[in-house]
Amino acid sequence: MKKKLSLILMMTTLLIALAACGQKTASDTPGNGGTTADEGAASDTKTYTIAISQIVEHPSLDATREGFIAALKDAGIVEGTNLKIDYNNAQGDNTNNLSIAQKIAGGKNDLVFAIATPSALAVAQQVKDVPVVFAAVTDPLSTKIVSNLDQPGGNITGASDTNPEATTKLADFIASNFPNIKNIGLVINEGEPNAEVMAKKAEEEFKKHNIGLIKAPVTNTSEVKQAAQSLIGRVDAFYITLDNMVVSGVDGIIQVANDKKIPFFSSDRDTVEKGAFATVGFKYFDHGYQAGQMAVDILKNGKKPGEMKVSMQEKLDLILNLKSAAAQGITVTDDMKKAVQDPEKNIIQ
């Protein structure tokens, strides 16, 4: 009987201890209702939806998008966790571009990111009640995406991917190092406003050095190589602007430049990495990252797009591709290399 009573007392003591442990675990764990700290944080995290409109796929625009998403991630807005991205690519088609903007306008988004001038134009016209950030836009003023760079107004702001000084510096570099260049051939889509703006600027800068600019217009990507071939015998070098249609078909120009030993200058780093010889520019990933930081300010800090100054690329450098130089019959001199401020990053071997 005593043994039985002792056993009952032991079991009672054990049950009381277990109950106390269970009570302690529930009350001492961070968060309400006994949830873990991570679960509590997840339940407090806002979920964002961002629509992206991109006019076409090519390295510069893709890098812009990647930089934008990276800036969001660094600020804690992570795709698949608390961010849903609705990515739309118009494949260079204006009808698709308009349809995408109309679809986005009818959706529920926290922010819209427009990549390149045609996409930004369409989105600016269609989306009126959601914050819009643009990037890879050459001249947001002349294209009437915004009416003021310091105070854009409305629901839109962004980052311009050009600095007129870049064209000036490239023209100076060509004139100083290539005295035999008298005419430069420009393959161009004249229906793209940003390409026209840059072409006019380039023509003015080349003219200061008595260098002529001869245009070869295209209406689609498949015509780019043929346009380059049409310039053979009439020009001493090739040049392209931030022209989305032409950049999409730039392999054709690179092939002609290499086959005919014609120096090829571009307006963006990615085209130089791909096979052009030189530009004055920057990394488009960094450009997209800058736009992404603006988006973070809007989403997390409550800033109003219309009150945010349109940013511009201030840090410019000469970028050279030595392999392309060899392919195009160019002798790269010490003076050329000395003109590069950051040779480790901007002289491509």
Side-chain angles (χ1 to χ4, degrees):
M1 184 70 178
K2 287 182 179 180
K3 287 183 179 180
K4 191 173 182 180
L5 184 59
S6 297
L7 183 60
I8 291 171
L9 287 170
M10 287 175 63
M11 289 179 67
T12 302
T13 303
L14 181 61
L15 287 170
I16 292 170
L18 287 172
C21 288
Q23 203 170 13
K24 182 181 178 181
T25 302
S27 61
D28 290 355
T29 301
N32 295 328
T35 58
T36 65
D38 288 343
E39 287 170 346
S43 66
D44 293 338
T45 302
K46 177 177 170 58
T47 299
Y48 301 92
T49 300
I50 294 178
I52 298 178
S53 177
Q54 181 173 325
I55 187 61
V56 72
E57 289 180 349
H58 66 64
S60 294
L61 300 189
D62 293 343
T64 299
R65 186 180 72 251
E66 290 162 5
F68 177 83
I69 294 171
L72 295 175
K73 184 178 180 180
D74 288 347
I77 304 175
V78 183
E79 187 176 10
T81 301
N82 61 342
L83 171 63
K84 179 182 177 182
I85 293 178
D86 174 24
Y87 172 62
N88 305 270
N89 191 304
Q91 301 298 335
D93 186 282
N94 285 328
T95 302
N96 289 345
N97 186 43
L98 177 58
S99 297
I100 287 169
Q102 290 171 336
K103 186 201 86 168
I104 290 173
K108 293 182 178 180
N109 300 291
D110 295 291
L111 184 137
V112 179
F113 182 45
I115 307 174
T117 301
S119 295
L121 270 169
V123 167
Q125 290 165 0
Q126 298 295 324
V127 179
K128 301 297 183 182
D129 57 352
V130 173
V132 174
V133 174
F134 60 76
V137 171
T138 301
D139 190 344
L141 268 182
S142 69
T143 51
K144 298 182 180 179
I145 294 170
V146 299
S147 58
N148 188 301
L149 295 178
D150 292 329
Q151 292 282 332
N155 63 323
I156 189 166
T157 189
S160 173
D161 65 348
T162 190
N163 183 329
E165 189 66 21
T167 307
T168 302
K169 288 183 176 180
L170 183 61
D172 291 345
F173 171 77
I174 293 170
S176 297
N177 295 281
F178 296 85
N180 294 328
I181 292 180
K182 303 301 180 185
N183 289 293
I184 291 181
L186 173 66
V187 179
I188 182 172
N189 168 25
E190 294 180 320
E192 199 165 317
N194 49 299
E196 279 288 271
V197 169
M198 288 195 72
K200 184 178 179 181
K201 174 66 176 175
E203 190 170 22
E204 292 171 356
E205 294 301 328
F206 290 140
K207 189 175 181 179
K208 293 176 183 177
H209 301 287
N210 296 315
I211 297 173
L213 188 69
I214 299 175
K215 295 180 181 179
V218 297
T219 57
N220 59 65
T221 302
S222 64
E223 296 173 358
V224 171
K225 182 179 179 180
Q226 185 179 352
Q229 290 171 328
S230 75
L231 292 166
I232 295 172
R234 298 193 290 149
V235 302
D236 309 300
F238 292 138
Y239 167 72
I240 62 170
T241 67
L242 301 174
D243 184 325
N244 294 297
M245 181 181 289
V246 174
V247 173
S248 295
V250 77
D251 287 343
I253 302 177
I254 294 169
Q255 185 179 340
V256 175
N258 293 349
D259 289 347
K260 300 298 181 180
K261 306 300 179 188
I262 299 174
F264 176 23
F265 303 94
S266 75
S267 296
D268 67 290
R269 179 193 178 93
D270 295 291
T271 299
V272 173
E273 290 181 351
K274 200 168 189 180
F277 165 57
T279 191
V280 172
F282 52 87
K283 281 193 172 187
Y284 268 78
F285 181 93
D286 296 338
H287 173 65
Y289 194 96
Q290 185 177 6
Q293 289 176 315
M294 298 177 80
V296 170
D297 264 346
I298 294 167
L299 294 172
K300 298 191 79 170
N301 301 327
K303 287 197 175 181
K304 296 180 180 179
E307 298 175 359
M308 297 172 69
K309 182 177 179 179
V310 173
S311 63
M312 185 179 290
Q313 297 305 307
E314 301 294 342
K315 188 177 179 182
L316 301 171
D317 196 6
L318 177 67
I319 303 161
L320 305 177
N321 186 324
L322 302 190
K323 287 184 179 179
S324 298
Q328 294 162 23
I330 300 167
T331 300
V332 180
T333 65
D334 288 340
D335 284 342
M336 290 184 190
K337 292 179 181 178
K338 287 177 183 176
V340 181
Q341 298 171 38
D342 189 346
E344 186 176 339
K345 290 183 180 179
N346 295 326
I347 294 181
I348 302 166
Q349 303 290 338

